[in-house]
Amino acid sequence: MASRRELDIVVIGASGYTGRLVAEYITQKLPTNTKWAIAGRSETKLKSLVESLKQLNSNRTPPTVITTGKLATPELLPLAKRTRVLLNAVGPYHLYSTPIVEACAKSGTHYIDASGETPWIKSIITQFESAAKSSGALLIPAVGLESTPSDLIAFKATQLIRKVWDCGVMDMVGSIHELKTSGASGGTMASGLNLFDAFSASELRQVMSDPYCLSPSHLRPYTKETIYPRNPEPNTYSRTAFQKWTGAWSYPRLGALTTSITARPNEAVVHRSAGLTPLFYGFNFSYEEYMAVSSPVVGMIIHFAIALLSLLLAFPPTRFIFKLLAPYKPGSGPKSEAGKSDVLELRGVAVAEQLAKVPRKALAVFRYEGGSMYDLTALLMVEAALVLLDPKQEGALKNRFSGGGFITPSCLGDDYCERIVDAGVRLDVKQIGDVGSK
């Protein structure tokens, strides 16, 4: 049984930029009796990491060092079978991590990563969902800056609407209200750029144009002609053709909005949450995400800049230039001191299914500051692992999802929300009803 395994947690890719932060978080925050290990291909780098971890917490027994050698399923299966939860920081995920997922799915090992690579996530769900359900493995991709904040504001807003009005959500709009970041790591840049090499243009187009691409196919929302019509109130959900073309529009409580470059990965994860638990979110649920801007003009500029960037990335020579110009190589990123002023605030407004003269709404807010966005990712990954390590929570999740399979961050529920709030995240929700208020 997984609960009787030698280790509680293994961090694979621990010597990389994000993996190191995950290891540091475990060292500083988790109980000293946690049985854990760090894994990777370079024994020298792993031993160097162990020495630096000793300086962070001398009272903790150093993690076991495991060298993985070749990243292939036969070699990774023994590693997966040693631990209850595997935290994967080996990116770009689509290049290196498919065998890691397969090993976990086959061995009943719970799995967490911080991928934002939607095409790859779709492919691993297709390949390994059946094996995970058979083995009892719970696998959770995208536990990080993408796409946990979006998933949790949708969860909390829906939860409040269920509690207050006893119905699901019709439409939800999310907004990156504030984002200050010290920059992207080399691994993040490589992941984004290499997607265009790994997947065909038609594959990328299909995934990026379909916000429901990760949702179970039979659980998509009803159209506006069935059961619940879309709210007809101006500027509460629908955009005009001109607003879609320019990317700039306005939404009550969220203000001026424009296209967000991270919207599609986040929308896909939120819709998978809704597809997995439709009786909670409602069969008419939909989620869209944007970025807050100071004015419509700024919104138009950003929208067309993103469109131009997407066009340029379609050409291999342009991608090659971007790779050369990247400030960090894979495995490195901004200095920790630079991330102290980072801020992320995501807001979301959900409209209840029950139609009323004044639409019934919930406003959810996710805010993190005081550390880098990669510190946030480490926090989110490790706290998710702690939920899976709780036998009561683990059992409830297996019962809820037919033994195992690919779930989402919000599936971890209130226990996860409480853990990350205790760790420094602000996660608030309240009911609102004034459509015209900003």
Side-chain angles (χ1 to χ4, degrees):
M1 296 176 61
S3 59
R4 298 176 181 173
R5 294 185 179 184
E6 171 192 351
L7 298 166
D8 296 317
I9 297 174
V10 167
V11 182
I12 189 168
S15 60
Y17 185 75
T18 301
R20 176 178 290 269
L21 292 173
V22 171
E24 290 177 355
Y25 188 91
I26 293 172
T27 299
Q28 294 175 306
K29 304 292 185 179
L30 265 60
T32 54
N33 63 351
T34 303
K35 297 174 292 182
W36 69 298
I38 55 174
R41 287 173 288 184
S42 172
E43 184 176 10
T44 301
K45 290 182 179 179
L46 292 173
K47 288 184 175 180
S48 175
L49 174 59
V50 168
E51 293 304 312
S52 67
L53 295 177
K54 289 178 181 178
Q55 298 177 21
L56 291 177
N57 187 351
S58 58
N59 295 322
R60 173 182 289 281
T61 302
T64 302
V65 172
I66 303 173
T67 52
T68 56
K70 186 179 180 181
L71 290 178
T73 305
E75 286 77 11
L76 291 167
L77 274 169
L79 168 64
K81 290 178 180 178
R82 292 177 67 180
T83 185
R84 296 175 61 192
V85 180
L86 188 144
L87 301 179
N88 180 17
V90 180
Y93 289 96
H94 65 274
L95 289 179
Y96 303 116
S97 288
T98 300
I100 299 174
V101 177
E102 182 178 10
C104 290
K106 289 182 175 180
S107 61
T109 301
H110 304 323
Y111 169 92
I112 293 168
D113 71 37
S115 172
E117 303 163 29
T118 308
W120 177 73
I121 295 174
K122 182 179 180 181
S123 72
I124 59 173
I125 292 174
T126 301
Q127 293 178 73
F128 307 124
E129 174 84 346
S130 178
K133 285 190 175 296
S134 297
S135 70
L138 295 163
L139 302 101
I140 319 179
V143 184
L145 179 60
E146 291 176 345
S147 300
T148 300
S150 304
D151 201 29
L152 293 185
I153 63 168
F155 169 73
K156 296 302 291 185
T158 302
Q159 186 181 60
L160 180 65
I161 285 175
R162 279 285 173 201
K163 179 180 179 181
V164 176
W165 296 299
D166 193 25
C167 64
V169 170
M170 182 164 58
D171 305 315
M172 183 166 184
V173 176
S175 165
I176 301 175
H177 182 75
E178 184 178 2
L179 178 62
K180 297 178 182 176
T181 176
S182 49
S185 71
T188 299
M189 294 289 290
S191 295
L193 292 171
N194 287 327
L195 275 177
F196 291 85
D197 298 322
F199 296 90
S200 69
S202 60
E203 288 177 311
L204 290 174
R205 193 181 306 113
Q206 182 182 21
V207 169
M208 299 311 290
S209 64
D210 181 9
Y212 302 97
C213 64
L214 299 183
S215 179
S217 59
H218 61 292
L219 295 175
R220 298 194 178 203
Y222 293 110
T223 65
K224 61 184 178 182
E225 287 80 20
T226 61
I227 300 187
Y228 297 108
R230 295 293 187 194
N231 196 314
E233 189 71 30
N235 279 337
T236 59
Y237 179 81
S238 60
R239 294 182 292 160
T240 66
F242 180 76
Q243 288 171 332
K244 290 179 180 179
W245 182 72
T246 61
W249 67 306
S250 181
Y251 192 90
R253 299 276 181 169
L254 301 180
L257 303 175
T258 192
T259 303
S260 168
I261 198 168
T262 59
R264 277 293 185 256
N266 296 341
E267 290 168 354
V269 170
V270 174
H271 284 126
R272 180 165 183 82
S273 296
L276 289 169
T277 53
L279 296 178
F280 175 68
Y281 285 87
F283 287 91
N284 201 41
F285 177 90
S286 69
Y287 176 84
E288 293 187 9
E289 189 170 296
Y290 301 89
M291 181 169 61
V293 289
S294 57
S295 71
V297 173
V298 174
M300 292 180 192
I301 294 171
I302 292 174
H303 173 74
F304 288 117
I306 291 175
L308 177 60
L309 176 62
S310 300
L311 179 63
L312 292 174
L313 289 175
F315 298 99
T318 312
R319 293 199 297 273
F320 178 74
I321 293 172
F322 280 135
K323 291 176 184 178
L324 289 178
L325 296 177
Y328 303 105
K329 299 300 181 184
S332 62
K335 298 295 184 182
S336 58
E337 295 78 14
K340 298 299 182 183
S341 59
D342 283 9
V343 177
L344 169 68
E345 182 169 320
L346 185 70
R347 298 181 179 183
V349 175
V351 182
E353 280 180 331
Q354 291 183 350
L355 298 180
K357 188 173 182 179
V358 176
R360 296 163 174 171
K361 297 183 177 183
L363 171 67
V365 177
F366 181 108
R367 184 177 178 87
Y368 176 79
E369 55 189 327
S372 74
M373 295 300 98
Y374 292 92
D375 290 328
L376 172 61
T377 291
L379 179 160
L380 294 171
M381 291 180 72
V382 176
E383 295 298 335
L386 291 177
V387 177
L388 296 177
L389 287 172
D390 182 328
K392 183 178 179 181
Q393 297 294 335
E394 179 191 28
L397 286 166
K398 286 187 175 185
N399 289 335
R400 185 178 169 197
F401 296 105
S402 304
F406 286 85
I407 60 175
T408 60
S410 66
C411 293
L412 300 177
D414 286 329
D415 186 41
Y416 184 46
C417 293
E418 291 167 5
R419 285 182 180 279
I420 66 170
V421 168
D422 290 342
V425 170
R426 174 189 162 199
L427 187 59
D428 300 327
V429 63
K430 65 180 181 179
Q431 65 185 77
I432 56 176
D434 184 1
V435 176
S437 301
K438 295 294 184 184

